[in-house]
Structures are given as C-alpha cells and as structure tokens.
Amino acid sequence: MEKLLVTGGAGFIGSNFVRYMLEKYPDYSITVLDKLTYAGNLANLADIEEKYGPQGRYNFVKGDIADPVAVKEAMAGARYALNFAAESHVDRSIEEPGQFILTDVYGTYILLEEARQVGVERFLQVSTDEIYGHVPDGSSVETDKVEPRSPYSASKAGGELIAHAYFITYGLPVVITRGSNNYGPYQYPEKLIPLFITNALEDKPLPVYGDGQQIRDWIHVLDHCSGIDTALHKGQPGEAYNVGGGNERTNMFITQTVLELLGKPDNLITYVKDRAGHDRRYSLDTTKLRALGWAPQKDLATGLRETVEWYLNNRQWWQALKAGEFKEFYERQYTKR
Ligand code: NAD
Ligand code: DAU
C-alpha cells in the first residue's frame, strides 16, 4: 500500500478526490487531515469511511495544517502529500482576511516543512486560476505574471510561491495545479452554483452581483480530480499546470440555466451590489496539462443537469448546512446588500 496524505479532504474537491483516487488505485491508502471548519463535513466522506475504512485504506485525522504536531503525525510514512486545505471563499476573505493568511500561506509552509523532513516523492499544491487576476482577453498560460487581487487569491498565490521556493531551495519535488471554477456534488452552498440551485428550490431570490456579466471557466469537479491525478503522476517537479474546463460562461448564463433546469421563474433573479474588487474574467490555456494526456470529459450541459439532480436528491445534506453557520453568514452578506 502506498500512502497519500490529503489535507482538506472533508471539503468539496478534497472529498471528491479521495473517492476518485481510492476507486482508481487499489494499492493506495489515504489519510485525510482536516480541521473541519464550517466547510469541512464528515458527511462528505461517510460512504468512503464505510467502504474503505474497514480495509485500512482510509483514515481520518482531525487537525490543522498550521499545527506542526498534527501534520507530523498525519504525514508519517506518506509517499505523496496533496494540499487541498484552504479557506476557499472569496467573499469571506473580503470580510475577514486573517484566517486565509493563517491557513493558505502559513499552513502551507508548515506542510512543506514536514514534507521536506519526510522526503515525500511529490508535494502537490492545489492552487487556483485566481492567482492570475482579471484576464481581459486571451487565456492565461503558466508563465504569465501572478497578479492576485483579492485576499483569497493573494493568500493562494503566497502558498504556491512558498511551495515553489521549497523546490528551488531544498529540491522538494513540488507540483502546482491551478484549477478553474469547480461545480458538482458536495459543494458548500455559499458558492454560486449550489447557492443558486438551493435558493431556487426554496423559492428564494438569486443574488446576482453587479451586472452578472462576469465570466468564469467552469470545470466539473471530477475533471479537476483527474487533472490533479495527471499532474501528480506525470507532472514535472517545479512546474505549475492549469486545469480548466474550457467552459467560459457569464454568471447570468449559469443563473438562467439553473432556473430553466428547475422550471423556476426569472423573477427570482435579484441584482445586488457587486463584490469589491470583483475579477471580471478568468480564462485558462490548458495546453501544458493536455500534453500529459489529460482532457476534461464532462460537457457543461450534462454536468449542470446532473448537479441539479444531485442537489434535488440530497436535500438533507444541504438543508443541514443551510440551517447552521451558513444562516449567519448569509444574513451578514446578503440581507443589507
Ligand atoms: P472547501 O472550502 O469546500 O474545503 C476546504 C477544506 O479544507 C474543508 O474541509 C476545511 O475543513 C479544510 N480546512 C480549512 N482550513 C484548514 C486548516 N487550517 N487545516 C486543515 N483543514 C482545513 O474548498 P474546495 O472548494 O473544496 O477547495 C479545495 C482546494 O481547491 C482549495 O485549496 C481551493 O483554494 C482550491 N480550488 C478550489 C476551486 C473551486 O472552484 N472550489 C478551484 C480551484 C482551486
Ligand atoms: O476560479 C477558481 C475559484 O473559484 C476558486 O479558487 C475558489 O475557491 C472558488 O470559490 C471560486 O471562486 P469564485 O469567486 O469565482 O466563486 P463563487 O462561487 O463565489 O462566485 C462565482 C461567480 O459568481 C463570481 O463572479 C461571483 C458571482 N456570484 C457569487 C455568489 C456567491 C454572484 O453573482 N452571486 C453570489 O451570490
């Protein structure tokens, strides 16, 4: 058995990745290290615990990536370490940047330091297309300037720059992935697509920021997982790889598609004050990762339909989240907006 450490495995992408890898590689075991913040949810891993726990292929450790003791214990014996753990929501980073710096920058440093001691074969840092900042035209290539513009993207850029410094200075075999906007099952309902699906199901307004003409490149979470898998096994140490779905759409297109899929009226759309410093467009050139044999598989229309069905079939999962911490966040963010 080869051990992988997956930090942030109780979140949206991390839990999908754990499931994807355990199904694909029978010789891998995974230890998840997760602090279980508001975004971490053991329900995302319940089927994995049931299926792979008894086989000894899955193990959960509650802990903070910024805590060297917890990290040391979880990383012991790992061949690969993959860092998904992060504060991930841009609006929360505008409200309260401090925790983003603690987790996304300082926590990444603690992981890198332990990875250096353990001598892992690969350290994969999960980063984001937001580190390029607003892209008025063309598409970002990996050698483009890093110009983050929100506290979230700046903290993610900080994390990956430190990771790259560990490659240059200590020869730690670091690989970085820069994913575009993910959608799919188990996404916390603060993000655009799950928020709009669940609000529409509750006949609540869909709060569109500004004019709704901002563009994101949407990728199904499992295509992101296969991109990370490819970069982990075939990527070159010291290199970054863009992982984009090639589905650039305006937020208004996504909003209208969600309403159509649910048969809900357009008058649920409510324009609200724009996000501060809102990046209008992201766009990724994925030639570099495609050269390693990767390509996204899910077309957006099918992926959105399946995602809407998942939220329809898993009401308990998101209703529990919306009744908890999320309620206060929603009131702060949206009621007087
Ligand atoms: P998420 O918010 O759903 O999950 C984050 C997970 O990290 C949670 O389980 C949380 O409990 C855990 N966590 C947070 N702070 C921690 C800490 N200090 N120690 C240990 N665990 C901690 O996020 P996500 O959307 O699944 O994103 C996962 C990663 O992918 C992040 O690094 C994010 O920056 C990156 N990313 C996300 C997207 C996207 O569209 N969601 C796109 C590109 C990259
Ligand atoms: O691009 C990758 C990034 O995508 C990841 O690194 C982040 O972790 C992830 O959160 C996501 O960031 P965004 O800010 O793009 O995602 P969000 O779902 O918050 O918003 C998507 C777009 O929708 C953005 O233009 C803002 C807009 N929006 C969002 C919300 C929550 C609205 O118009 N209304 C809303 O209520």
Side-chain angles (χ1 to χ4, degrees):
M1 259 325 138
E2 300 289 355
K3 172 173 165 178
L4 279 71
L5 173 68
V6 173
T7 70
F12 162 49
I13 305 172
S15 61
N16 277 284
F17 183 77
V18 171
R19 191 174 293 103
Y20 171 91
M21 293 297 275
L22 288 173
E23 277 165 18
K24 182 165 173 191
Y25 297 103
D27 294 339
Y28 284 5
S29 72
I30 294 183
T31 292
V32 167
L33 174 66
D34 197 295
K35 188 179 170 185
L36 297 181
T37 67
Y38 76 91
N41 187 353
L42 284 177
N44 300 356
L45 294 163
D47 59 317
I48 296 167
E49 170 77 63
E50 197 183 328
K51 189 166 172 190
Y52 298 107
Q55 299 172 22
R57 295 186 57 210
Y58 164 75
N59 175 32
F60 182 82
V61 179
K62 183 170 189 263
D64 190 332
I65 61 164
D67 172 3
V69 177
V71 167
K72 193 177 192 58
E73 192 187 320
M75 205 184 286
R79 178 177 177 188
Y80 302 128
L82 298 101
N83 183 25
F84 290 78
E87 289 293 335
S88 70
H89 194 38
V90 175
D91 292 324
R92 290 188 196 247
S93 83
I94 294 167
E95 215 184 13
E96 171 66 75
Q99 193 55 48
F100 285 71
I101 291 150
L102 286 175
T103 291
D104 304 8
V105 185
Y106 184 74
T108 302
Y109 148 70
I110 294 293
L111 286 170
L112 288 162
E113 195 49 36
E114 187 56 28
R116 183 158 85 91
Q117 304 304 329
V118 168
V120 297
E121 209 172 285
R122 282 285 182 283
F123 184 98
L124 192 136
Q125 174 66 8
V126 180
S127 191
T128 169
D129 62 359
E130 300 207 3
I131 57 106
Y132 294 114
H134 165 58
V135 182
D137 39 46
S139 296
S140 305
V141 291
E142 288 82 350
T143 47
D144 281 357
K145 212 163 137 195
V146 171
E147 272 183 300
R149 289 154 36 96
S150 74
Y152 163 70
S153 53
S155 72
K156 291 297 292 181
E160 68 161 85
L161 289 174
I162 293 168
H164 190 249
Y166 267 65
F167 166 72
I168 299 287
T169 310
Y170 306 112
L172 185 72
V174 167
V175 173
I176 293 162
T177 56
R178 294 173 178 160
S180 66
N181 278 68
N182 284 226
Y183 69 97
Y186 299 103
Q187 188 168 29
Y188 193 84
E190 66 193 354
K191 306 283 164 54
L192 179 77
I193 290 180
L195 179 67
F196 281 16
I197 294 172
T198 58
N199 272 15
L201 284 170
E202 296 176 311
D203 295 312
K204 287 186 177 154
L206 310 192
V208 170
Y209 297 167
D211 62 5
Q213 295 307 307
Q214 306 84 357
I215 291 173
R216 296 291 181 267
D217 170 6
W218 294 96
I219 185 169
H220 190 273
V221 64
L222 292 179
D223 282 329
H224 189 199
C225 292
S226 71
I228 292 170
D229 177 17
T230 303
L232 177 72
H233 291 105
K234 298 187 184 162
Q236 282 299 313
E239 295 294 316
Y241 295 87
N242 290 340
V243 192
N247 298 303
E248 286 183 44
R249 299 288 188 282
T250 62
N251 292 339
M252 190 45 70
F253 173 88
I254 298 291
T255 307
Q256 269 161 347
T257 306
V258 165
L259 289 172
E260 276 163 29
L261 285 166
L262 288 168
K264 295 286 183 177
D266 277 3
N267 64 12
L268 285 180
I269 295 172
T270 312
Y271 291 94
V272 299
K273 191 171 159 225
D274 207 350
R275 173 184 277 175
H278 200 169
D279 288 336
R280 275 203 71 89
R281 176 173 176 259
Y282 302 125
S283 175
L284 288 180
D285 180 316
T286 55
T287 308
K288 191 172 169 184
L289 189 62
R290 283 173 188 265
L292 301 183
W294 173 83
Q297 301 299 317
K298 187 75 82 184
D299 75 86
L300 186 65
T302 311
L304 284 176
R305 200 188 63 242
E306 290 173 358
T307 301
V308 164
E309 279 163 16
W310 190 87
Y311 282 86
L312 271 167
N313 294 332
N314 290 275
R315 280 177 193 262
Q316 268 187 325
W317 180 88
W318 58 264
Q319 280 170 345
L321 295 176
K322 279 190 132 178
E325 182 274 351
F326 182 80
K327 235 168 135 176
E328 278 172 36
F329 166 76
Y330 197 78
E331 267 158 34
R332 287 200 310 275
Q333 272 291 318
Y334 294 98
T335 43
K336 287 193 200 123
R337 193 161 184 141

